[in-house]
Amino acid sequence: MEKDNIAVGLDIGTTKIVAMIGKKNEYGKLEILGIGKSKSLGVARGVVNNITQTIQSIQQAIVEAENNSGYKIKDVVVGIAGQHIRSIQHTDYISRNNPEEVIGEKDIQLLIDQVNKLAMLPGEEIIHVLPQEFKIDGQSEIKEPIGMYGGRLESSFHVVVGQASSIRNVGRCIQSSGIELSGLTLEPLASADAVLSQEEKEAGVALIDIGGGTTDLAIFKDGIIRHTAVIPFGGNVITDDIKEGCSIIEKQAELLKIKFGSAWPGENKDNEIVSIPGLRGREPKEISLKNLSKIIHARVVEIVEQVFAEIKAYGHEDPRKKLIAGIVLTGGGAQLKHIKQLVEYITGMDTRIGYPNEHLAGNSGEEISSPLYATAVGLVMNSIENSSQSAVRMEMVKEQPKIVYRTAPPVQRYEVEENYVERVETIDEPEEVVSQKVPKNESTETKIRRSFFDRYVDKIKEFLDNAE
């Protein structure tokens, strides 16, 4: 009997950290086995600014997910985002020595290695190279070049760039939390996997993921990623505006936004008032819901206009680049009342709220199918693609002799004990599920995405090991 691939995704957000454990059921749907959530301390606008607090928050989410599922987490796929992320379009080519030989994976790898040598700003690194369309000897719009003949292989690439230090800090937090980093995924891409259909990606769609600290944008057309951007504003700035505008504390401002907030000021009448308890025996504060929605409306308009400027920069007004499927809103900010109507009003594009329930098994709880968990669901789906055994049952962990590799003393101290090495090998044997990492029938784009991220994760691990 085939062993289930238990996948784990870790979404390190500005307001919350979510650890999600899942597996594919017999119908190919995602079954969530456990979820852990903790308040995100030490992360601002998607970037780690306090290592100790972030480690504590990650550990809290991991322990909760383990207790809920009965599985012990070994490694995770992590989402990367933050205001340091930017993307560029780049076209590159290679001239092949023997045009009579068919194009193989090594030719594409050669082309990607060439893109990786692009000069970046100081402190920046290429973290994602996504091929768009290939061109062979002038023949354009080729999606799968492997097996074709040609002398000049050219491709347009979507290159995602970020601050190397920010990504290494995330790697350090995960390693210090006692788990391994098995993969990295750009958060807008993870959210897109969870809430968009292939038809929407073909027709042309803009995914807007409104998080706590940042708003992520991913544009797809003809099934290919065309543009990504991170806007350094999210739900937290709306809460801050309410806090300042109504002179209340942050906790009350967040509750007001969730329970009574609306992005459309015309909805509320002048006589609708909410009473907020005063601090330490002070008089209660009365807040007009009309004023509240005006504060929210002003900030949401600003965020949407910035995102729309990015959509215009992509060139959606060009008939060939038209986004027929319009806009899909997801993330915690998408739960704000009347935000769909406001986005439609500003952009003039069809809009829907994106829920990750399309890929989830029928027995999934209502909470998990909320837009709030779109990124976490996408990361679990990404982890399933890696075919790794990211978690094992607690009972199996208890049965094994207690050997912790990370804290074990150096091997040379155990040279005398020959059985020590043998015991380690026998424990590792049942977990050798990782051997076949790449499914057989994969597109070139998926292979490139996987091999590139595998190499990048190895680079981060090597950096962290050397730092110690």
Side-chain angles (χ1 to χ4, degrees):
M1 188 182 154
E2 202 178 294
K3 208 172 186 180
D4 284 329
N5 283 331
I6 308 298
V8 184
L10 183 69
D11 175 15
I12 303 175
T14 307
T15 46
K16 66 179 189 333
I17 289 176
V18 178
M20 197 178 268
I21 304 174
K23 66 170 185 177
K24 261 193 180 174
N25 66 9
E26 63 268 35
Y27 306 109
K29 294 286 185 184
L30 185 63
E31 191 181 320
I32 303 301
L33 303 169
I35 186 168
K37 193 169 70 168
S38 68
K39 189 170 168 56
S40 181
L41 302 168
V43 181
R45 291 189 174 163
V47 179
V48 173
N49 62 7
N50 186 318
I51 294 272
T52 312
Q53 285 186 327
T54 307
I55 291 166
Q56 286 169 359
S57 299
I58 290 172
Q59 285 173 333
Q60 198 180 324
I62 292 286
V63 167
E64 193 182 316
E66 287 177 340
N67 292 341
N68 287 346
S69 65
Y71 282 85
K72 179 78 182 157
I73 294 173
K74 297 192 300 173
D75 56 65
V76 292
V77 167
V78 179
I80 48 166
Q83 56 188 8
H84 61 94
I85 301 285
R86 67 184 183 94
S87 63
I88 52 173
Q89 291 296 117
H90 178 71
T91 304
D92 220 322
Y93 74 93
I94 55 165
S95 296
R96 301 178 68 237
N97 298 330
N98 185 4
E100 301 303 312
E101 208 177 273
V102 293
I103 293 166
E105 281 181 36
K106 66 177 190 299
D107 296 303
I108 291 166
Q109 198 54 58
L110 199 65
L111 187 52
I112 288 171
D113 291 343
Q114 204 160 286
V115 176
N116 283 324
K117 288 172 189 165
L118 280 175
M120 291 293 133
L121 295 171
E124 279 191 336
E125 259 184 35
I126 293 174
I127 51 174
H128 216 336
V129 173
L130 294 165
Q132 295 186 316
E133 279 152 335
F134 292 90
K135 201 185 266 189
I136 300 170
D137 292 345
Q139 183 191 341
S140 57
E141 294 184 10
I142 295 168
K143 287 189 179 178
E144 186 59 271
I146 291 176
M148 299 179 82
Y149 292 95
R152 179 186 160 110
L153 176 65
E154 191 178 331
S155 178
S156 54
F157 288 97
H158 183 74
V159 183
V160 180
V161 181
Q163 288 288 341
S165 57
S166 298
I167 296 152
R168 283 168 184 160
N169 284 340
V170 170
R172 162 65 62 214
C173 291
I174 287 156
Q175 200 180 51
S176 302
S177 302
I179 47 178
E180 291 296 322
L181 177 66
S182 67
L184 282 167
T185 300
L186 193 63
E187 288 201 352
L189 293 182
S191 305
D193 286 343
V195 302
L196 298 181
S197 67
Q198 193 54 41
E199 288 85 358
E200 283 177 317
K201 288 180 181 178
E202 288 288 342
V205 67
L207 176 86
I208 302 172
D209 185 344
I210 306 169
T214 58
T215 298
D216 303 333
L217 170 72
I219 297 175
F220 292 85
K221 178 75 178 170
D222 301 325
I224 297 164
I225 181 90
R226 299 291 180 183
H227 187 72
T228 50
V230 177
I231 285 102
F233 297 112
N236 284 3
V237 284
I238 300 171
T239 306
D240 287 343
D241 285 357
I242 297 168
K243 185 178 83 173
E244 298 299 324
C246 301
S247 302
I248 53 177
I249 61 170
E250 194 175 333
K251 195 177 176 183
Q252 291 172 337
E254 184 66 27
L255 276 170
L256 262 185
K257 181 180 78 174
I258 293 166
K259 285 197 167 184
F260 303 103
S262 165
W264 203 264
E267 272 300 305
N268 301 109
K269 296 180 180 73
D270 292 325
N271 60 353
E272 286 182 300
I273 285 167
V274 175
S275 183
I276 302 259
L279 294 174
R280 287 272 177 154
R282 291 177 179 84
E283 288 293 308
K285 195 163 276 181
E286 291 190 339
I287 290 159
S288 154
L289 289 189
K290 190 153 197 139
N291 285 344
L292 176 70
S293 59
K294 277 179 183 173
I295 292 168
I296 294 169
H297 173 81
R299 184 58 86 174
V300 174
V301 166
E302 189 186 343
I303 293 169
V304 175
E305 280 177 347
Q306 284 202 40
V307 174
F308 194 41
E310 289 285 348
I311 296 172
K312 283 178 182 169
Y314 151 75
H316 84 110
E317 283 156 357
D318 181 335
R320 288 169 304 168
K321 294 182 170 183
K322 192 172 164 64
L323 303 177
I324 296 163
I327 289 170
V328 175
L329 292 171
T330 193
Q335 295 173 302
L336 186 63
K337 212 187 288 178
H338 303 120
I339 193 164
K340 171 186 175 293
Q341 289 85 334
L342 181 65
V343 171
E344 282 181 340
Y345 177 74
I346 293 170
T347 63
M349 296 166 78
D350 285 342
T351 306
R352 75 170 177 91
I353 305 294
Y355 298 92
N357 51 5
E358 189 185 323
H359 300 282
L360 293 172
N363 59 353
S364 299
E366 199 178 309
E367 188 197 12
I368 295 164
S369 54
S370 153
L372 200 69
Y373 295 111
T375 304
V377 169
L379 292 170
V380 175
M381 287 167 66
N382 197 276
S383 181
I384 284 173
E385 273 180 36
N386 290 350
S387 303
S388 59
Q389 187 74 13
S390 297
V392 289
R393 281 196 178 276
M394 292 283 198
E395 307 91 80
M396 288 172 69
V397 178
K398 284 170 194 168
E399 282 168 20
Q400 293 173 0
K402 205 172 183 183
I403 296 172
V404 183
Y405 307 105
R406 218 169 282 100
T407 54
V411 180
Q412 57 263 36
R413 291 188 194 172
Y414 290 86
E415 276 174 3
V416 187
E417 292 180 41
E418 291 174 322
N419 296 337
Y420 178 79
V421 182
E422 285 169 27
R423 282 171 70 200
V424 174
E425 282 172 7
T426 49
I427 289 165
D428 272 359
E429 258 183 288
E431 288 174 18
E432 220 168 69
V433 188
V434 193
S435 56
Q436 184 62 29
K437 243 194 165 183
V438 183
K440 283 168 191 170
N441 302 319
E442 278 190 333
S443 69
T444 303
E445 185 190 346
T446 317
K447 279 176 190 163
I448 290 168
R449 248 172 89 172
R450 190 186 310 287
S451 68
F452 186 81
F453 262 130
D454 286 347
R455 283 188 299 143
Y456 196 77
V457 169
D458 290 343
K459 206 157 81 173
I460 291 174
K461 285 178 182 170
E462 193 183 321
F463 173 81
L464 293 172
D465 290 343
N466 293 341
E468 283 172 6

